[in-house]
Amino acid sequence: QGAGFNAYLGGRLADATRLLDDALERTTNPLQAAELRRLRGQVEIPVGTPSAAREHLLAAARAFEPIDPGRAALALADAAATLTMEGHHGPALETAEQAHALAKETGGLPAQASAMILAGAAALCGQSELVPTLVQQAKPLLEGQALAGNHWLAAAFALSRTWVDEDVEARRAIR
């Protein structure tokens, strides 16, 4: 798992895919398998298709839900993002709402990340009145290290700042 994640962070996506798939075949630990599926889905986003990534992410969310609702919410938020990538805005909104509802139980990073994803889905579905409050809920992402090593989340966070005319914070997030 560690080698696959490090390969992903280093931009060696083919190596990350191979290492994560190998680790997934070997593990017998359900929690570790769920985390491997989530990472595999994240790697699939830039190298494969959104639908293939979503399969991994939804499997991870189902596995995490009874044992770690926060990680389940993060996997669902990632799955919602893949629906947005394919232009399926209604299903993206539904999935983002599920992620955010689940994340509210845990707070922290899952609640912040799911609020940001829900803000994007709401904006795309014409529910712009929800966006400022949701973007505000995601604001603590900028203060910690949550964005480090999570390139797509950092980009999505920066974009979310522009929806509420916070261009300075968008630039800060990108840096």
Side-chain angles (χ1 to χ4, degrees):
Q1 177 177 336
F5 182 68
N6 288 335
Y8 168 63
L9 290 180
R12 296 179 16 239
L13 300 178
D15 289 338
T17 298
R18 180 182 49 76
L19 290 165
L20 291 169
D21 285 345
D22 183 56
L24 193 53
E25 285 179 20
R26 294 172 187 264
T27 189
T28 58
N29 180 315
L31 186 60
Q32 186 178 35
E35 182 60 24
L36 288 165
R37 282 240 180 257
R38 188 173 74 84
L39 289 172
R40 184 63 180 83
Q42 289 177 338
V43 170
E44 190 69 24
I45 291 171
V47 300
T49 64
S51 60
R54 189 168 48 257
E55 287 180 34
H56 289 290
L57 294 165
L58 291 175
R62 284 190 300 274
F64 274 135
E65 192 166 358
I67 51 179
D68 192 334
R71 286 189 194 175
L74 288 170
L76 279 174
D78 286 348
T82 67
L83 286 160
T84 299
M85 290 172 195
E86 292 183 318
H88 302 305
H89 303 309
L93 179 62
E94 291 173 19
T95 305
E97 288 171 336
Q98 292 170 359
H100 195 55
L102 192 57
K104 282 183 178 180
E105 298 173 20
T106 63
L109 174 63
Q112 296 157 13
S114 66
M116 183 191 57
I117 297 299
L118 180 54
L124 289 169
C125 288
Q127 297 182 16
S128 57
E129 70 280 0
L130 301 175
V131 173
T133 300
L134 291 165
V135 168
Q136 188 63 27
Q137 290 174 21
K139 199 168 190 172
L141 286 171
L142 190 59
E143 297 162 3
Q145 291 297 314
L147 298 180
N150 196 330
H151 305 117
W152 85 262
L153 185 59
F157 179 76
L159 178 62
S160 78
R161 308 322 301 171
T162 66
W163 299 332
V164 289
D165 296 321
E166 293 181 356
D167 297 335
V168 171
E169 286 199 9
R171 283 195 284 290
R172 203 168 122 208
I174 291 169
R175 282 189 200 113

